[in-house]
Amino acid sequence: MKFNNKEFKGLVKSFSYAFRGIWFCIKNERNMRIHITASVFILAFSFIYGLTPNQYAILALTLGSVMMCELVNTAIEAVVNLTSDSYDNLARIAKDVAAGAVLLCAIAAVGVGIALFGNWDKLFATIQQIISTPWYIIGFALWLVLGIVFIFHGFRPKEHTDTVKIYRPKKSNTKMK
């Protein structure tokens, strides 16, 4: 196998575009920050609860699916905003359906969570362990405060600006030759 520097640079560039899209969603979408915060809580709880490797695989796929739906929803909203400058009923439908897909995925994730953490004796024992261990209480309380700040403040500028205005340059009146 021969190493091709041009192909490698192209691969790195495509990954950088993907990470830029994820970062945009984290920065601009409060719901994505809610999904991330909830995921960290669930993962921390799952380590104490003691899931099996197969259960962790299901959990990872579930959490990833919810975040993936949020990314697709953001992409659909951006395309709809790009194609319609004023209110359009079809644009509303596209945005509502995309948001509905995220909601259904999140509801399904709750169902998966109930199935994974449904051993009530083990669940209550885990909660008792957390409540009786000061480091767990401090860790969860600290993440709760940081999570709330992350969700509602995130990485936004101090003044909220319209995303479309930031990323869409104004149309020039001059024609290109």
Side-chain angles (χ1 to χ4, degrees), residues 30-104:
R30 181 184 61 231
N31 289 345
M32 182 61 135
R33 294 190 300 271
I34 290 170
H35 297 314
I36 291 170
T37 303
S39 294
V40 170
F41 264 117
I42 291 164
L43 285 171
F45 184 82
S46 72
F47 289 129
I48 300 166
Y49 186 84
L51 296 179
T52 66
N54 287 340
Q55 289 173 321
Y56 273 114
I58 293 168
L59 183 62
L61 287 171
T62 303
L63 297 176
S65 295
V66 172
M67 287 188 224
M68 182 194 66
C69 277
E70 189 63 48
L71 287 165
V72 170
N73 178 47
T74 301
I76 289 170
E77 287 179 354
V79 170
V80 168
N81 289 342
L82 178 69
T83 59
S84 58
D85 290 335
S86 61
Y87 178 81
D88 183 296
N89 197 44
L90 291 175
R92 179 195 58 81
I93 291 169
K95 288 181 169 187
D96 289 352
V97 169
V102 178
L103 179 62
L104 283 179

Side-chain angles (χ1 to χ4, degrees), residues 157-170:
K158 297 212 188 263
E159 290 182 27
H160 182 69
T161 54
D162 184 13
T163 304
V164 174
K165 290 179 184 174
I166 295 170
Y167 289 95
R168 182 190 286 173
K170 290 184 179 180

Side-chain angles (χ1 to χ4, degrees), residues 84-155:
S84 58
D85 290 335
S86 61
Y87 178 81
D88 183 296
N89 197 44
L90 291 175
R92 179 195 58 81
I93 291 169
K95 288 181 169 187
D96 289 352
V97 169
V102 178
L103 179 62
L104 283 179
C105 191
I107 291 169
V110 170
V112 170
I114 290 169
L116 290 176
F117 300 104
N119 181 338
W120 298 109
D121 292 335
K122 190 174 179 181
L123 179 67
F124 291 126
T126 303
I127 293 170
Q128 183 62 37
Q129 182 181 0
I130 292 169
I131 292 171
S132 64
T133 307
W135 287 112
Y136 288 157
I137 293 173
I138 292 168
F140 276 94
L142 182 62
W143 182 247
L144 179 64
V145 171
L146 291 174
I148 290 170
V149 170
F150 176 63
I151 289 168
F152 291 105
H153 180 63
F155 301 102

